[in-house]
Coordinates of all heavy atoms in Angstrom, one line a residue:
M278 N 0.8 -1.2 0.0 CA 0.0 0.0 0.0 C 0.9 1.3 0.0 O 1.8 1.3 0.8 CB -0.9 0.0 1.3 CG -1.9 1.1 1.3 SD -3.0 0.9 2.7 CE -4.1 -0.3 2.2
S279 N 0.5 2.2 -0.8 CA 1.3 3.4 -0.9 C 1.2 4.2 0.4 O 0.1 4.3 1.0 CB 0.8 4.3 -2.1 OG 0.8 5.6 -1.7
P280 N 2.3 4.8 0.9 CA 2.3 5.5 2.2 C 1.3 6.7 2.1 O 0.9 7.2 3.2 CB 3.7 6.0 2.4 CG 4.5 5.6 1.2 CD 3.6 4.8 0.3
Q281 N 1.0 7.2 0.9 CA 0.2 8.4 0.8 C -1.3 8.0 0.7 O -2.1 8.9 0.5 CB 0.6 9.2 -0.4 CG 2.0 9.8 -0.3 CD 2.0 10.9 0.8 OE1 1.2 11.8 0.8 NE2 3.1 10.9 1.6
E282 N -1.6 6.7 0.8 CA -3.0 6.3 0.5 C -4.0 6.9 1.6 O -3.7 6.8 2.8 CB -3.1 4.8 0.4 CG -4.4 4.4 -0.3 CD -4.2 3.0 -0.9 OE1 -3.1 2.7 -1.4 OE2 -5.2 2.3 -0.9
V283 N -5.1 7.4 1.1 CA -6.1 8.0 2.0 C -7.1 7.0 2.4 O -7.7 6.3 1.5 CB -6.8 9.2 1.2 CG1 -7.9 9.8 2.1 CG2 -5.8 10.3 0.9
S284 N -7.3 6.8 3.7 CA -8.2 5.8 4.1 C -9.6 6.3 4.4 O -10.6 5.7 4.2 CB -7.7 5.1 5.4 OG -7.6 6.0 6.4
S285 N -9.7 7.6 4.7 CA -11.0 8.3 4.9 C -10.8 9.8 4.9 O -9.6 10.2 4.9 CB -11.7 7.8 6.2 OG -10.9 8.0 7.3
I286 N -11.9 10.5 4.9 CA -11.8 11.9 5.0 C -12.6 12.5 6.2 O -13.7 12.1 6.4 CB -12.3 12.5 3.6 CG1 -11.4 12.1 2.5 CG2 -12.4 14.0 3.7 CD1 -12.0 12.5 1.1
L287 N -11.9 13.3 6.9 CA -12.6 13.9 8.1 C -13.2 15.2 7.6 O -12.6 16.0 6.9 CB -11.5 14.3 9.1 CG -12.0 15.0 10.4 CD1 -12.8 14.1 11.3 CD2 -10.8 15.6 11.1
Q288 N -14.5 15.3 7.9 CA -15.2 16.6 7.6 C -15.7 17.3 8.9 O -16.3 16.7 9.8 CB -16.5 16.2 6.8 CG -17.3 17.5 6.4 CD -18.3 17.2 5.3 OE1 -18.2 16.3 4.5 NE2 -19.4 18.0 5.3
V289 N -15.3 18.5 9.0 CA -15.6 19.4 10.1 C -16.4 20.6 9.6 O -15.9 21.2 8.7 CB -14.4 19.8 10.9 CG1 -14.8 20.6 12.1 CG2 -13.5 18.6 11.3
E290 N -17.5 20.9 10.3 CA -18.3 22.1 9.9 C -18.4 23.0 11.1 O -18.6 22.5 12.2 CB -19.7 21.7 9.4 CG -19.6 20.8 8.2 CD -20.9 20.6 7.5 OE1 -22.0 20.9 8.1 OE2 -20.9 20.1 6.4
V291 N -18.1 24.2 10.8 CA -18.2 25.3 11.9 C -19.1 26.3 11.4 O -18.9 26.9 10.3 CB -16.8 25.9 12.2 CG1 -16.9 26.9 13.3 CG2 -15.7 24.8 12.5
E292 N -20.2 26.6 12.2 CA -21.1 27.6 11.7 C -21.5 28.6 12.8 O -21.4 28.3 14.0 CB -22.3 27.0 11.1 CG -23.2 26.2 12.0 CD -24.4 25.6 11.3 OE1 -24.4 25.3 10.1 OE2 -25.4 25.4 12.0
D293 N -21.9 29.8 12.3 CA -22.4 30.8 13.2 C -23.7 31.4 12.7 O -24.1 31.1 11.6 CB -21.3 31.9 13.5 CG -20.9 32.7 12.2 OD1 -21.9 33.0 11.5 OD2 -19.8 33.0 12.0
T294 N -24.3 32.2 13.6 CA -25.5 32.9 13.2 C -25.2 34.4 13.1 O -26.1 35.2 13.5 CB -26.6 32.6 14.2 OG1 -26.2 32.9 15.5 CG2 -27.1 31.1 14.1
G295 N -24.0 34.7 12.7 CA -23.6 36.1 12.6 C -24.1 36.9 11.4 O -25.1 36.4 10.8
P296 N -23.4 37.9 11.0 CA -24.0 38.8 10.0 C -23.9 38.2 8.6 O -24.5 38.7 7.6 CB -23.0 40.0 10.0 CG -21.8 39.5 10.6 CD -22.2 38.4 11.6
G297 N -23.2 37.1 8.4 CA -23.1 36.5 7.1 C -22.1 37.3 6.2 O -21.5 38.3 6.6
I298 N -21.9 36.7 5.0 CA -20.9 37.4 4.1 C -21.6 37.6 2.8 O -22.2 36.7 2.2 CB -19.7 36.4 3.9 CG1 -19.0 36.1 5.2 CG2 -18.7 37.0 2.9 CD1 -17.9 35.0 5.2
P299 N -21.6 38.9 2.3 CA -22.3 39.2 1.1 C -21.7 38.4 -0.1 O -20.4 38.2 -0.1 CB -22.1 40.7 0.9 CG -21.2 41.2 2.0 CD -21.0 40.1 3.0
A300 N -22.5 38.1 -1.1 CA -22.0 37.3 -2.2 C -20.8 37.9 -2.9 O -19.9 37.1 -3.3 CB -23.2 37.1 -3.2
E301 N -20.7 39.2 -3.0 CA -19.6 39.8 -3.7 C -18.3 39.7 -3.0 O -17.2 39.8 -3.5 CB -19.9 41.3 -4.1 CG -20.2 42.2 -2.9 CD -21.6 42.2 -2.4 OE1 -22.4 41.3 -2.8 OE2 -22.0 43.2 -1.7
A302 N -18.4 39.3 -1.6 CA -17.1 39.2 -0.9 C -16.7 37.7 -0.7 O -15.5 37.4 -0.4 CB -17.3 39.8 0.6
L303 N -17.6 36.8 -1.0 CA -17.3 35.4 -0.8 C -16.1 34.9 -1.5 O -15.3 34.1 -1.0 CB -18.5 34.5 -1.2 CG -19.6 34.4 -0.1 CD1 -20.7 33.5 -0.7 CD2 -19.1 33.8 1.1
G304 N -15.8 35.4 -2.7 CA -14.7 35.0 -3.5 C -13.4 35.6 -3.0 O -12.3 35.3 -3.6
R305 N -13.4 36.5 -2.0 CA -12.2 37.2 -1.6 C -11.7 36.8 -0.2 O -10.6 37.2 0.2 CB -12.4 38.7 -1.7 CG -12.7 39.2 -3.1 CD -12.4 40.7 -3.2 NE -11.0 41.0 -2.9 CZ -10.5 42.2 -2.7 NH1 -11.4 43.2 -2.6 NH2 -9.3 42.4 -2.4
I306 N -12.6 36.2 0.6 CA -12.3 36.1 2.0 C -11.0 35.2 2.3 O -10.4 35.4 3.4 CB -13.5 35.6 2.8 CG1 -13.9 34.2 2.4 CG2 -14.6 36.6 2.8 CD1 -14.9 33.5 3.4
F307 N -10.6 34.4 1.4 CA -9.4 33.6 1.7 C -8.1 34.3 1.2 O -7.0 33.8 1.3 CB -9.5 32.2 1.1 CG -10.6 31.4 1.7 CD1 -11.8 31.2 1.0 CD2 -10.4 30.8 3.0 CE1 -12.8 30.4 1.6 CE2 -11.5 30.1 3.6 CZ -12.7 29.9 2.9
E308 N -8.3 35.4 0.5 CA -7.2 36.2 0.0 C -6.4 36.8 1.2 O -7.0 37.4 2.1 CB -7.7 37.4 -0.7 CG -7.5 37.5 -2.2 CD -8.2 38.7 -2.8 OE1 -8.0 39.9 -2.3 OE2 -9.0 38.5 -3.7
P309 N -5.1 36.7 1.2 CA -4.3 37.4 2.3 C -4.6 38.9 2.3 O -4.6 39.5 1.2 CB -2.8 37.1 1.9 CG -2.9 36.0 0.9 CD -4.2 36.0 0.2
F310 N -4.7 39.4 3.5 CA -4.9 40.8 3.7 C -6.3 41.3 3.3 O -6.6 42.5 3.4 CB -3.8 41.7 3.1 CG -2.5 41.3 3.5 CD1 -1.6 40.7 2.6 CD2 -2.0 41.4 4.9 CE1 -0.3 40.3 3.0 CE2 -0.8 40.9 5.3 CZ 0.1 40.4 4.3
Y311 N -7.2 40.5 2.9 CA -8.6 40.9 2.7 C -9.3 40.9 4.0 O -9.4 39.9 4.7 CB -9.4 40.0 1.7 CG -10.8 40.5 1.6 CD1 -11.2 41.5 0.8 CD2 -11.8 39.8 2.4 CE1 -12.5 42.0 0.7 CE2 -13.1 40.3 2.3 CZ -13.5 41.3 1.5 OH -14.8 41.8 1.4
S312 N -9.8 42.1 4.5 CA -10.5 42.2 5.7 C -11.5 43.3 5.6 O -11.3 44.3 5.0 CB -9.5 42.5 6.9 OG -10.2 42.7 8.1
T313 N -12.7 43.1 6.3 CA -13.7 44.1 6.4 C -13.7 44.7 7.8 O -14.6 45.5 8.1 CB -15.1 43.6 6.0 OG1 -15.4 42.5 6.9 CG2 -15.1 43.2 4.6
K314 N -12.8 44.3 8.6 CA -12.7 44.9 10.0 C -12.1 46.3 9.9 O -11.4 46.6 9.0 CB -11.8 44.0 10.9 CG -12.4 42.6 11.2 CD -11.5 41.8 12.1 CE -12.2 40.5 12.5 NZ -11.2 39.6 13.2
P315 N -12.4 47.1 10.9 CA -11.9 48.5 10.9 C -10.4 48.5 10.9 O -9.8 47.5 11.4 CB -12.4 49.1 12.2 CG -13.5 48.2 12.7 CD -13.3 46.9 12.1
A316 N -9.8 49.5 10.3 CA -8.3 49.6 10.2 C -7.7 49.4 11.5 O -8.2 49.9 12.5 CB -8.0 51.0 9.6
G317 N -6.7 48.5 11.6 CA -5.9 48.3 12.8 C -6.5 47.1 13.6 O -5.9 46.7 14.6
E318 N -7.7 46.6 13.2 CA -8.3 45.5 14.0 C -8.1 44.1 13.4 O -8.1 43.1 14.1 CB -9.8 45.8 14.2 CG -10.0 46.8 15.3 CD -11.5 47.0 15.7 OE1 -12.2 46.0 15.6 OE2 -11.8 48.1 16.1
G319 N -8.0 44.0 12.1 CA -7.9 42.7 11.5 C -6.7 42.7 10.5 O -6.5 43.7 9.9
T320 N -6.0 41.6 10.5 CA -4.9 41.5 9.5 C -5.4 41.0 8.2 O -4.8 41.2 7.1 CB -3.8 40.6 10.0 OG1 -4.4 39.3 10.1 CG2 -3.2 41.0 11.3
G321 N -6.6 40.3 8.2 CA -7.0 39.7 7.0 C -6.2 38.4 6.6 O -6.3 37.9 5.5
L322 N -5.5 37.9 7.7 CA -4.7 36.8 7.4 C -5.3 35.5 8.0 O -4.8 34.4 7.7 CB -3.3 37.0 8.0 CG -2.4 38.0 7.3 CD1 -1.1 38.2 8.0 CD2 -2.1 37.5 5.8
G323 N -6.3 35.6 8.8 CA -6.8 34.4 9.5 C -7.2 33.3 8.6 O -6.7 32.2 8.7
L324 N -8.1 33.6 7.6 CA -8.6 32.5 6.8 C -7.5 32.1 5.7 O -7.5 30.9 5.4 CB -9.9 33.0 6.0 CG -11.1 33.1 6.9 CD1 -12.3 33.7 6.2 CD2 -11.5 31.7 7.4
A325 N -6.7 33.1 5.3 CA -5.6 32.7 4.4 C -4.6 31.7 5.0 O -4.2 30.7 4.4 CB -4.8 33.9 3.9
I326 N -4.4 31.9 6.3 CA -3.5 31.0 7.0 C -4.1 29.6 7.2 O -3.5 28.6 7.0 CB -3.0 31.6 8.4 CG1 -2.0 32.8 8.1 CG2 -2.4 30.6 9.3 CD1 -1.7 33.6 9.3
C327 N -5.4 29.7 7.6 CA -6.2 28.4 7.8 C -6.1 27.6 6.5 O -5.8 26.4 6.5 CB -7.6 28.7 8.1 SG -7.9 29.3 9.7
M328 N -6.4 28.3 5.3 CA -6.4 27.6 4.0 C -5.0 27.0 3.7 O -4.8 25.9 3.3 CB -6.8 28.5 2.9 CG -6.8 27.9 1.6 SD -7.5 29.0 0.3 CE -9.1 28.3 0.2
G329 N -3.9 27.8 4.0 CA -2.6 27.4 3.7 C -2.2 26.1 4.5 O -1.6 25.2 4.0
I330 N -2.6 26.1 5.8 CA -2.3 25.0 6.7 C -3.0 23.7 6.2 O -2.5 22.7 6.0 CB -2.6 25.3 8.1 CG1 -1.7 26.3 8.7 CG2 -2.5 24.0 9.0 CD1 -2.1 26.9 10.1
L331 N -4.3 23.9 5.9 CA -5.1 22.8 5.5 C -4.6 22.2 4.1 O -4.5 21.0 4.0 CB -6.6 23.2 5.3 CG -7.3 23.4 6.7 CD1 -8.5 24.2 6.6 CD2 -7.6 22.0 7.3
E332 N -4.3 23.1 3.2 CA -3.8 22.6 1.9 C -2.5 21.9 2.0 O -2.2 21.0 1.3 CB -3.8 23.8 0.9 CG -5.3 24.2 0.5 CD -5.3 25.2 -0.6 OE1 -4.3 25.9 -0.9 OE2 -6.5 25.4 -1.1
S333 N -1.7 22.4 3.0 CA -0.3 21.7 3.1 C -0.5 20.2 3.6 O 0.4 19.4 3.4 CB 0.5 22.5 4.1 OG 0.2 22.3 5.4
Y334 N -1.7 19.9 4.2 CA -2.0 18.5 4.6 C -2.9 17.8 3.6 O -3.5 16.8 3.9 CB -2.5 18.5 6.0 CG -1.5 18.8 7.0 CD1 -1.5 20.1 7.6 CD2 -0.6 17.9 7.5 CE1 -0.5 20.4 8.6 CE2 0.4 18.2 8.4 CZ 0.4 19.4 9.0 OH 1.3 19.7 9.9
G335 N -3.1 18.5 2.4 CA -4.0 17.9 1.4 C -5.5 18.1 1.7 O -6.3 17.5 1.1
G336 N -5.8 19.0 2.6 CA -7.1 19.3 2.9 C -7.7 20.5 2.1 O -7.0 21.1 1.3
K337 N -8.9 20.8 2.5 CA -9.6 21.9 1.8 C -10.5 22.7 2.8 O -11.0 22.1 3.8 CB -10.6 21.4 0.7 CG -9.9 20.8 -0.5 CD -11.0 20.3 -1.4 CE -10.3 19.7 -2.6 NZ -11.3 19.0 -3.5
I338 N -10.8 23.9 2.5 CA -11.8 24.7 3.3 C -12.7 25.4 2.3 O -12.2 25.9 1.3 CB -11.1 25.6 4.3 CG1 -12.1 26.4 5.1 CG2 -10.2 26.6 3.6 CD1 -11.6 27.1 6.3
S339 N -14.0 25.4 2.6 CA -14.9 26.1 1.8 C -15.9 26.8 2.7 O -16.0 26.5 3.9 CB -15.6 25.2 0.8 OG -16.3 24.2 1.5
V340 N -16.6 27.8 2.1 CA -17.6 28.6 2.8 C -18.9 28.6 2.2 O -19.0 28.6 0.9 CB -17.0 30.0 3.0 CG1 -16.8 30.7 1.7 CG2 -17.8 30.9 4.0
Q341 N -19.9 28.6 3.0 CA -21.3 28.9 2.5 C -21.9 30.0 3.4 O -21.7 29.9 4.7 CB -22.2 27.7 2.8 CG -22.0 26.5 1.8 CD -23.0 25.4 2.2 OE1 -22.6 24.7 3.1 NE2 -24.1 25.3 1.6
S342 N -22.4 31.0 2.8 CA -22.9 32.1 3.7 C -24.0 32.9 3.0 O -24.0 32.9 1.7 CB -21.8 33.0 4.1 OG -22.2 34.0 5.0
E343 N -24.9 33.4 3.8 CA -25.9 34.3 3.2 C -25.9 35.6 4.1 O -26.0 35.4 5.4 CB -27.2 33.6 3.3 CG -28.1 33.8 2.0 CD -29.4 33.0 2.2 OE1 -29.3 31.8 2.4 OE2 -30.4 33.7 2.0
S344 N -25.9 36.7 3.5 CA -26.0 38.0 4.3 C -27.1 37.9 5.3 O -28.3 37.6 4.9 CB -26.2 39.1 3.3 OG -25.0 39.9 3.2
G345 N -26.8 38.3 6.5 CA -27.9 38.4 7.5 C -28.3 37.0 8.2 O -29.0 37.0 9.1
K346 N -27.8 35.9 7.6 CA -28.3 34.6 8.2 C -27.2 33.8 8.8 O -27.5 32.8 9.5 CB -28.9 33.8 7.0 CG -30.2 34.4 6.5 CD -31.0 33.4 5.7 CE -32.3 34.0 5.3 NZ -33.0 33.2 4.3
G347 N -25.9 34.1 8.5 CA -24.8 33.3 9.2 C -23.9 32.7 8.1 O -24.1 32.9 6.9
T348 N -22.9 32.0 8.7 CA -21.8 31.5 7.8 C -21.5 30.1 8.3 O -21.5 29.8 9.5 CB -20.6 32.4 8.0 OG1 -21.0 33.7 7.6 CG2 -19.4 31.9 7.1
R349 N -21.2 29.2 7.3 CA -20.7 27.9 7.6 C -19.4 27.6 6.9 O -19.4 27.7 5.6 CB -21.7 26.8 7.3 CG -21.2 25.4 7.6 CD -22.1 24.3 7.0 NE -23.4 24.4 7.6 CZ -24.6 24.4 6.9 NH1 -24.5 24.2 5.6 NH2 -25.7 24.5 7.4
F350 N -18.4 27.2 7.6 CA -17.1 26.8 7.0 C -17.1 25.3 7.0 O -17.4 24.7 8.1 CB -15.9 27.4 7.7 CG -15.7 28.8 7.5 CD1 -16.2 29.8 8.4 CD2 -15.1 29.3 6.3 CE1 -16.1 31.1 8.1 CE2 -14.9 30.7 6.1 CZ -15.4 31.6 7.0
T351 N -16.7 24.6 5.9 CA -16.5 23.2 5.9 C -15.1 22.9 5.6 O -14.5 23.4 4.7 CB -17.4 22.6 4.7 OG1 -18.8 22.9 5.0 CG2 -17.3 21.1 4.7
I352 N -14.5 22.1 6.5 CA -13.1 21.6 6.3 C -13.1 20.2 6.0 O -13.8 19.4 6.7 CB -12.4 21.9 7.7 CG1 -12.3 23.4 7.9 CG2 -11.1 21.2 7.8 CD1 -11.9 23.7 9.4
L353 N -12.3 19.8 5.0 CA -12.1 18.4 4.6 C -10.6 18.1 4.8 O -9.7 18.8 4.3 CB -12.5 18.1 3.2 CG -13.9 18.4 2.8 CD1 -14.1 18.2 1.3 CD2 -14.9 17.5 3.6
L354 N -10.3 17.0 5.6 CA -8.9 16.6 5.8 C -8.8 15.1 5.5 O -9.5 14.3 6.1 CB -8.6 16.9 7.3 CG -7.9 18.2 7.6 CD1 -7.7 18.3 9.1 CD2 -6.6 18.4 6.9
P355 N -7.8 14.8 4.6 CA -7.6 13.4 4.4 C -7.0 12.7 5.6 O -6.1 13.2 6.2 CB -6.7 13.4 3.2 CG -6.0 14.7 3.2 CD -6.9 15.6 3.9
I356 N -7.4 11.5 5.8 CA -6.8 10.6 6.9 C -5.9 9.6 6.1 O -6.4 8.8 5.3 CB -7.8 9.8 7.7 CG1 -8.9 10.8 8.2 CG2 -7.2 9.0 8.8 CD1 -8.4 11.8 9.2
Y357 N -4.6 9.7 6.3 CA -3.7 8.8 5.6 C -3.5 7.5 6.3 O -3.6 7.4 7.5 CB -2.4 9.5 5.4 CG -2.4 10.7 4.5 CD1 -2.4 12.0 5.1 CD2 -2.5 10.6 3.1 CE1 -2.5 13.1 4.3 CE2 -2.6 11.8 2.3 CZ -2.6 13.0 2.9 OH -2.7 14.1 2.1
E358 N -3.3 6.4 5.5 CA -3.1 5.1 6.1 C -1.8 5.1 7.0 O -1.7 4.5 8.0 CB -2.9 4.1 5.0 CG -4.2 3.6 4.4 CD -5.0 2.8 5.4 OE1 -4.4 2.1 6.2 OE2 -6.2 3.0 5.3
Q359 N -0.8 5.8 6.5 CA 0.5 5.9 7.1 C 0.8 7.4 7.5 O 0.3 8.2 6.7 CB 1.6 5.4 6.2 CG 1.4 4.0 5.7 CD 1.6 3.0 6.8 OE1 2.4 3.2 7.7 NE2 0.8 1.9 6.7
P360 N 1.5 7.6 8.5 CA 1.9 9.0 8.8 C 2.6 9.7 7.6 O 3.3 9.0 6.9 CB 2.8 8.9 10.0 CG 2.6 7.6 10.6 CD 2.1 6.7 9.5
L361 N 2.3 11.0 7.4 CA 3.0 11.7 6.3 C 4.4 11.9 6.7 O 4.8 12.1 7.8 CB 2.3 13.1 6.2 CG 1.0 13.2 5.5 CD1 0.6 14.7 5.5 CD2 1.1 12.8 4.1
K362 N 5.3 11.8 5.7 CA 6.7 12.0 5.9 C 6.9 13.5 5.8 O 6.3 14.2 5.0 CB 7.5 11.3 4.8 CG 7.5 9.8 4.9 CD 8.6 9.1 4.2 CE 8.6 7.7 4.5 NZ 8.2 6.9 3.3
P363 N 7.8 14.1 6.7 CA 8.0 15.5 6.7 C 8.6 16.0 5.3 O 9.2 15.3 4.6 CB 9.0 15.8 7.8 CG 9.4 14.5 8.4 CD 8.6 13.4 7.7
Ligands
ATP50 N1 -17.8 34.0 10.3 C1 -17.7 35.1 9.6 N2 -18.8 35.9 9.4 C2 -18.8 37.0 8.6 N3 -17.7 37.4 7.9 C3 -16.6 36.6 8.0 C4 -16.5 35.5 8.9 N4 -15.3 35.0 8.8 C5 -14.6 35.8 7.9 N5 -15.4 36.8 7.5 C6 -15.0 37.8 6.5 O1 -13.8 37.4 5.9 C7 -12.8 38.5 6.1 C8 -11.5 37.8 6.2 O2 -11.4 37.0 7.3 P1 -10.0 36.7 8.0 O3 -10.2 35.8 9.2 O4 -9.0 36.2 6.9 O5 -9.4 38.1 8.4 P2 -10.0 39.1 9.6 O6 -10.9 38.3 10.5 O7 -10.6 40.3 8.9 O8 -8.6 39.4 10.3 P3 -7.9 38.6 11.4 O9 -8.1 37.1 11.1 O10 -6.5 39.0 11.4 O11 -8.6 39.0 12.7 C9 -13.3 39.2 7.4 O12 -12.8 40.5 7.5 C10 -14.8 39.2 7.2 O13 -15.2 40.2 6.2
MG51 MG1 -10.2 36.3 11.2

């Protein structure tokens, strides 16, 4: 069996009932330095770093959101048969 073989996929969903994300912003939220927080309050790096870490392990993150109704992030992470080599 190849050491990289995936035996299953872990799915984690995190959701809130916050303000939601308008459709025109959804395509930008994983961009480094994209932030709608007031100047000096957000780096806009949170989601870009999450995506970078997840992709480095072969995972993915996606978002579903509707303005005014909340936001759900879905994370997919492969479970490998054997530990990943550094
Ligand atoms: N749960 C959420 N609900 C509504 N908008 C969100 C949510 N998560 C992220 N966003 C939007 O995506 C943008 C980018 O998020 P990201 O976490 O990368 O940066 P940030 O939160 O602005 O800054 P930092 O992570 O440094 O505090 C946010 O500024 C906000 O507009
Ligand atoms: Mg953040």
Side-chain angles (χ1 to χ4, degrees):
M278 186 178 280
S279 141
Q281 295 290 316
E282 199 151 325
V283 175
S284 60
S285 56
I286 294 173
L287 175 71
Q288 178 166 336
V289 181
E290 297 189 351
V291 182
E292 67 179 25
D293 64 42
T294 53
I298 302 172
E301 60 274 18
L303 277 177
R305 297 199 62 197
I306 61 167
F307 295 104
E308 245 174 57
F310 306 112
Y311 175 81
S312 177
T313 56
K314 290 181 179 171
E318 280 188 28
T320 63
L322 288 175
L324 288 172
I326 290 171
C327 289
M328 179 175 260
I330 292 170
L331 287 161
E332 288 184 348
S333 77
Y334 289 100
K337 288 180 183 170
I338 182 169
S339 59
V340 63
Q341 281 178 283
S342 185
E343 222 179 304
S344 255
K346 292 198 176 167
T348 302
R349 179 190 299 132
F350 288 95
T351 302
I352 290 166
L353 298 175
L354 267 176
I356 309 295
Y357 295 102
E358 281 296 323
Q359 304 289 328
L361 282 178
K362 293 200 174 109

